[in-house]
Amino acid sequence: MTKSLYKNFFLIIFMLASLANCVHKGSVEAVRPTNIYSDTDKKIQGNFIYVVDKTSLSKLKRDDTVQGFLCGAHNYPVDGTEAFNSSLPHMLEQVFEKITRVNEGSAKPNTIQLLFRIERFEPRLRFSQKFFGADADGNVELSVSVTGTKDGARIFGTTVDTQRNKHGDGGPFCAEGTQVLADAVRDSIKDVLEKLGERMANSQSLRKH
């Protein structure tokens, strides 16, 4: 069999495999945000609690991520909820001397409550064909907001956006693309938490209350 026939044979096998309806789910790892720059070395003092809006948190779970015809019959679900929940405390402990997570509706008097919301989560996975297999490109757009209130009055608020990309080998039958996307989700969570940490660490309104 000539080299050209080998190539065509493998391409046909790959195309048939890419049309098979399979589910591939990657693992989004928790992160420790470290690049948080502050005008002072002192952590924020005071009584702080924080809440993660459960309704918006569900936005971090998506099933419809793949774009394009290649490998389009496969499903690549991604879930960043656990990674976000596990990573957020690591960022907060670098900014605040003491802060406790509470359930929604648990506001306390003379205490600043920080409410975190997932505003937008757009994970996209695209494949490009190579000799045998495919390259995978994962792109993630993530937007997170935080609002600080004390005794019902708003004292702080900000929204951070980020976009992160990952490129890697999609594997012979598209299976490895899911981890490429999961890694892009991980990087976006790390970046957005570091940016939020910086804004809170340098907020005079949070430090004065």
Side-chain angles (χ1 to χ4, degrees), residues 1-14:
M1 187 179 289
T2 65
K3 183 177 179 181
S4 176
L5 289 177
Y6 268 118
K7 181 177 180 181
N8 291 335
F9 173 76
F10 284 129
L11 286 177
I12 292 172
I13 295 298
F14 172 75

PDB file of all heavy atoms in Angstrom, residues 1-14:
ATOM      1  N   MET A   1       0.851  -1.194   0.000  1.00  0.00           N
ATOM      2  CA  MET A   1       0.000   0.000   0.000  1.00  0.00           C
ATOM      3  C   MET A   1       0.887   1.244   0.000  1.00  0.00           C
ATOM      4  O   MET A   1       1.808   1.363   0.792  1.00  0.00           O
ATOM      5  CB  MET A   1      -0.909   0.009   1.233  1.00  0.00           C
ATOM      6  CG  MET A   1      -1.949   1.130   1.235  1.00  0.00           C
ATOM      7  SD  MET A   1      -3.007   1.082   2.710  1.00  0.00           S
ATOM      8  CE  MET A   1      -3.981  -0.391   2.362  1.00  0.00           C
ATOM      9  N   THR A   2       0.615   2.191  -0.909  1.00  0.00           N
ATOM     10  CA  THR A   2       1.447   3.379  -1.025  1.00  0.00           C
ATOM     11  C   THR A   2       1.191   4.316   0.144  1.00  0.00           C
ATOM     12  O   THR A   2       0.214   4.179   0.895  1.00  0.00           O
ATOM     13  CB  THR A   2       1.128   4.109  -2.331  1.00  0.00           C
ATOM     14  OG1 THR A   2      -0.218   4.595  -2.265  1.00  0.00           O
ATOM     15  CG2 THR A   2       1.309   3.201  -3.521  1.00  0.00           C
ATOM     16  N   LYS A   3       2.104   5.275   0.277  1.00  0.00           N
ATOM     17  CA  LYS A   3       1.974   6.262   1.354  1.00  0.00           C
ATOM     18  C   LYS A   3       0.669   7.038   1.230  1.00  0.00           C
ATOM     19  O   LYS A   3       0.007   7.335   2.218  1.00  0.00           O
ATOM     20  CB  LYS A   3       3.169   7.220   1.309  1.00  0.00           C
ATOM     21  CG  LYS A   3       3.171   8.241   2.441  1.00  0.00           C
ATOM     22  CD  LYS A   3       4.424   9.101   2.380  1.00  0.00           C
ATOM     23  CE  LYS A   3       4.400  10.129   3.504  1.00  0.00           C
ATOM     24  NZ  LYS A   3       5.612  11.001   3.456  1.00  0.00           N
ATOM     25  N   SER A   4       0.293   7.359   0.011  1.00  0.00           N
ATOM     26  CA  SER A   4      -0.947   8.109  -0.213  1.00  0.00           C
ATOM     27  C   SER A   4      -2.162   7.292   0.201  1.00  0.00           C
ATOM     28  O   SER A   4      -3.104   7.814   0.795  1.00  0.00           O
ATOM     29  CB  SER A   4      -1.056   8.497  -1.691  1.00  0.00           C
ATOM     30  OG  SER A   4      -2.284   9.141  -1.952  1.00  0.00           O
ATOM     31  N   LEU A   5      -2.124   5.983  -0.125  1.00  0.00           N
ATOM     32  CA  LEU A   5      -3.247   5.133   0.269  1.00  0.00           C
ATOM     33  C   LEU A   5      -3.322   4.982   1.775  1.00  0.00           C
ATOM     34  O   LEU A   5      -4.417   4.945   2.361  1.00  0.00           O
ATOM     35  CB  LEU A   5      -3.107   3.768  -0.409  1.00  0.00           C
ATOM     36  CG  LEU A   5      -3.349   3.724  -1.917  1.00  0.00           C
ATOM     37  CD1 LEU A   5      -3.091   2.327  -2.459  1.00  0.00           C
ATOM     38  CD2 LEU A   5      -4.782   4.157  -2.228  1.00  0.00           C
ATOM     39  N   TYR A   6      -2.147   4.860   2.437  1.00  0.00           N
ATOM     40  CA  TYR A   6      -2.116   4.801   3.901  1.00  0.00           C
ATOM     41  C   TYR A   6      -2.776   6.045   4.494  1.00  0.00           C
ATOM     42  O   TYR A   6      -3.589   5.977   5.423  1.00  0.00           O
ATOM     43  CB  TYR A   6      -0.676   4.711   4.405  1.00  0.00           C
ATOM     44  CG  TYR A   6      -0.184   3.310   4.607  1.00  0.00           C
ATOM     45  CD1 TYR A   6       0.904   2.824   3.868  1.00  0.00           C
ATOM     46  CD2 TYR A   6      -0.791   2.468   5.546  1.00  0.00           C
ATOM     47  CE1 TYR A   6       1.357   1.534   4.043  1.00  0.00           C
ATOM     48  CE2 TYR A   6      -0.326   1.183   5.724  1.00  0.00           C
ATOM     49  CZ  TYR A   6       0.745   0.712   4.983  1.00  0.00           C
ATOM     50  OH  TYR A   6       1.197  -0.561   5.172  1.00  0.00           O
ATOM     51  N   LYS A   7      -2.397   7.187   3.954  1.00  0.00           N
ATOM     52  CA  LYS A   7      -2.937   8.444   4.470  1.00  0.00           C
ATOM     53  C   LYS A   7      -4.447   8.506   4.291  1.00  0.00           C
ATOM     54  O   LYS A   7      -5.188   8.864   5.210  1.00  0.00           O
ATOM     55  CB  LYS A   7      -2.277   9.627   3.760  1.00  0.00           C
ATOM     56  CG  LYS A   7      -2.760  10.984   4.262  1.00  0.00           C
ATOM     57  CD  LYS A   7      -2.025  12.103   3.563  1.00  0.00           C
ATOM     58  CE  LYS A   7      -2.514  13.456   4.070  1.00  0.00           C
ATOM     59  NZ  LYS A   7      -1.813  14.580   3.389  1.00  0.00           N
ATOM     60  N   ASN A   8      -4.924   8.144   3.118  1.00  0.00           N
ATOM     61  CA  ASN A   8      -6.372   8.175   2.877  1.00  0.00           C
ATOM     62  C   ASN A   8      -7.113   7.184   3.770  1.00  0.00           C
ATOM     63  O   ASN A   8      -8.205   7.469   4.262  1.00  0.00           O
ATOM     64  CB  ASN A   8      -6.658   7.873   1.399  1.00  0.00           C
ATOM     65  CG  ASN A   8      -6.212   8.979   0.478  1.00  0.00           C
ATOM     66  OD1 ASN A   8      -6.120  10.134   0.893  1.00  0.00           O
ATOM     67  ND2 ASN A   8      -5.932   8.644  -0.782  1.00  0.00           N
ATOM     68  N   PHE A   9      -6.498   6.019   3.975  1.00  0.00           N
ATOM     69  CA  PHE A   9      -7.108   5.000   4.827  1.00  0.00           C
ATOM     70  C   PHE A   9      -7.271   5.516   6.250  1.00  0.00           C
ATOM     71  O   PHE A   9      -8.333   5.407   6.869  1.00  0.00           O
ATOM     72  CB  PHE A   9      -6.253   3.732   4.816  1.00  0.00           C
ATOM     73  CG  PHE A   9      -6.706   2.689   5.792  1.00  0.00           C
ATOM     74  CD1 PHE A   9      -7.831   1.913   5.535  1.00  0.00           C
ATOM     75  CD2 PHE A   9      -6.015   2.481   6.980  1.00  0.00           C
ATOM     76  CE1 PHE A   9      -8.256   0.955   6.440  1.00  0.00           C
ATOM     77  CE2 PHE A   9      -6.423   1.523   7.880  1.00  0.00           C
ATOM     78  CZ  PHE A   9      -7.552   0.755   7.613  1.00  0.00           C
ATOM     79  N   PHE A  10      -6.204   6.112   6.788  1.00  0.00           N
ATOM     80  CA  PHE A  10      -6.255   6.628   8.150  1.00  0.00           C
ATOM     81  C   PHE A  10      -7.231   7.790   8.273  1.00  0.00           C
ATOM     82  O   PHE A  10      -7.918   7.936   9.281  1.00  0.00           O
ATOM     83  CB  PHE A  10      -4.863   7.067   8.617  1.00  0.00           C
ATOM     84  CG  PHE A  10      -3.967   5.924   8.970  1.00  0.00           C
ATOM     85  CD1 PHE A  10      -2.683   5.829   8.433  1.00  0.00           C
ATOM     86  CD2 PHE A  10      -4.398   4.924   9.846  1.00  0.00           C
ATOM     87  CE1 PHE A  10      -1.859   4.772   8.755  1.00  0.00           C
ATOM     88  CE2 PHE A  10      -3.560   3.867  10.173  1.00  0.00           C
ATOM     89  CZ  PHE A  10      -2.301   3.781   9.629  1.00  0.00           C
ATOM     90  N   LEU A  11      -7.296   8.609   7.243  1.00  0.00           N
ATOM     91  CA  LEU A  11      -8.225   9.734   7.272  1.00  0.00           C
ATOM     92  C   LEU A  11      -9.667   9.252   7.298  1.00  0.00           C
ATOM     93  O   LEU A  11     -10.522   9.815   8.001  1.00  0.00           O
ATOM     94  CB  LEU A  11      -7.992  10.653   6.070  1.00  0.00           C
ATOM     95  CG  LEU A  11      -6.736  11.520   6.122  1.00  0.00           C
ATOM     96  CD1 LEU A  11      -6.600  12.334   4.833  1.00  0.00           C
ATOM     97  CD2 LEU A  11      -6.757  12.446   7.332  1.00  0.00           C
ATOM     98  N   ILE A  12      -9.952   8.203   6.532  1.00  0.00           N
ATOM     99  CA  ILE A  12     -11.307   7.648   6.517  1.00  0.00           C
ATOM    100  C   ILE A  12     -11.671   7.080   7.887  1.00  0.00           C
ATOM    101  O   ILE A  12     -12.773   7.313   8.410  1.00  0.00           O
ATOM    102  CB  ILE A  12     -11.434   6.560   5.421  1.00  0.00           C
ATOM    103  CG1 ILE A  12     -11.342   7.197   4.039  1.00  0.00           C
ATOM    104  CG2 ILE A  12     -12.748   5.804   5.576  1.00  0.00           C
ATOM    105  CD1 ILE A  12     -11.266   6.187   2.905  1.00  0.00           C
ATOM    106  N   ILE A  13     -10.726   6.337   8.483  1.00  0.00           N
ATOM    107  CA  ILE A  13     -10.967   5.781   9.820  1.00  0.00           C
ATOM    108  C   ILE A  13     -11.209   6.889  10.831  1.00  0.00           C
ATOM    109  O   ILE A  13     -12.120   6.817  11.676  1.00  0.00           O
ATOM    110  CB  ILE A  13      -9.780   4.906  10.273  1.00  0.00           C
ATOM    111  CG1 ILE A  13      -9.650   3.676   9.369  1.00  0.00           C
ATOM    112  CG2 ILE A  13      -9.939   4.474  11.721  1.00  0.00           C
ATOM    113  CD1 ILE A  13     -10.845   2.755   9.400  1.00  0.00           C
ATOM    114  N   PHE A  14     -10.389   7.952  10.751  1.00  0.00           N
ATOM    115  CA  PHE A  14     -10.534   9.060  11.683  1.00  0.00           C
ATOM    116  C   PHE A  14     -11.876   9.752  11.507  1.00  0.00           C
ATOM    117  O   PHE A  14     -12.555  10.088  12.485  1.00  0.00           O
ATOM    118  CB  PHE A  14      -9.394  10.066  11.510  1.00  0.00           C
ATOM    119  CG  PHE A  14      -9.590  11.312  12.316  1.00  0.00           C
ATOM    120  CD1 PHE A  14      -9.398  11.303  13.686  1.00  0.00           C
ATOM    121  CD2 PHE A  14      -9.984  12.493  11.702  1.00  0.00           C
ATOM    122  CE1 PHE A  14      -9.594  12.443  14.431  1.00  0.00           C
ATOM    123  CE2 PHE A  14     -10.182  13.629  12.444  1.00  0.00           C
ATOM    124  CZ  PHE A  14      -9.980  13.609  13.808  1.00  0.00           C
TER     125      PHE A  14
END
